[in-house]
Amino acid sequence: MFFAYNDIVNAAKAGSVVSFPTDTVPALAVDPQKTEAIYHLKQRSLDKPLILMGASPDDLWDYVEGTPDEQAIWQEMVNQHWPGALTLVLPASAKVPAGMNPRGSGTLGIRVPDCAIAQRLLSVTGPLATTSANRSGEPPLREAAAIAAAFPSLCVLDPEVYQNRIGSGLPSTVVQWTGGDWRILRQGAVEL
């Protein structure tokens, strides 16, 4: 079932799982305190962390921590690639709910999508825990109708709101800060 923009915002604020487009693949998103809902909906293993997506870098920095030198390096990477299809995996701060990374690795993936409707929504809801819109182990769904059919209870943003423009279909590139350099965990839309 498709929902208007304001209904998606209200559903997300109420803790429901919602779906909206990004610059890569459509997202399933939920309040970071309610991550169990995404794991249940996707039938996702608890050993797979979620990504915290925000409207701007400033919305995300409180969720990670590092030295001033590290933060300067992270900011340089952000300046080059955000908004965009790059996920940074950084040391998590105490602000991160345990459900974001049930493995307890002490890290958190963060991203700002290069998608106006996603940024607009996230600027109102605040950062959301996200993952691709699909059942675990299946390819990401790219069309709003397919997402609504696969997840009938889900609040899916009406494709008319974003004129049916969909992302690249490529996943984000994921890089992890190792304490001294970046390690590519997944090569995706951004070439590093």
Side-chain angles (χ1 to χ4, degrees):
M1 180 177 219
F2 297 143
F3 291 80
Y5 172 82
N6 287 338
D7 295 329
I8 291 287
V9 167
N10 291 336
K13 285 181 170 183
S16 296
V17 180
V18 300
S19 180
F20 54 85
T22 74
D23 51 346
T24 56
V25 295
L28 294 182
V30 74
D31 181 296
Q33 300 290 342
K34 309 271 187 187
T35 55
E36 68 281 349
I38 278 186
Y39 284 100
H40 177 73
L41 189 67
K42 280 188 64 129
Q43 300 165 4
R44 183 180 174 99
S45 169
L46 289 176
D47 66 350
K48 295 181 178 178
L50 300 173
I51 301 300
L52 191 66
M53 195 175 282
S56 74
D58 290 341
D59 294 339
L60 299 171
W61 290 133
D62 285 349
Y63 292 90
V64 296
E65 61 186 7
T67 67
D69 287 345
E70 287 177 318
Q71 291 171 358
I73 292 167
W74 303 343
Q75 185 65 55
E76 185 179 317
M77 184 68 89
V78 162
N79 292 345
Q80 291 176 31
H81 298 287
W82 279 4
L86 180 68
T87 298
L88 303 180
V89 179
L90 304 173
S93 74
K95 186 174 181 174
V96 177
M100 287 296 302
N101 192 342
R103 289 187 294 189
S105 69
T107 61
L108 177 69
I110 59 173
R111 185 162 97 82
V112 174
D114 188 12
C115 175
I117 192 72
Q119 286 181 12
R120 184 174 145 213
L121 190 142
L122 292 161
S123 72
V124 178
T125 63
L128 295 176
T130 63
T131 183
S132 56
N134 59 293
R135 297 244 186 257
S136 191
E138 295 178 1
L141 299 170
R142 297 197 56 214
E143 305 284 338
I147 296 166
F151 302 104
S153 64
L154 188 64
C155 300
V156 178
L157 182 62
D158 188 333
E160 293 296 315
V161 173
Y162 54 95
Q163 289 86 43
N164 279 311
R165 287 191 301 268
I166 57 176
S168 68
L170 296 173
S172 67
T173 296
V174 181
V175 295
Q176 182 172 4
W177 179 249
T178 63
D181 206 353
W182 297 103
R183 178 168 61 114
I184 297 175
L185 301 181
R186 178 180 72 198
Q187 187 63 60
V190 172
E191 290 287 335
L192 292 178

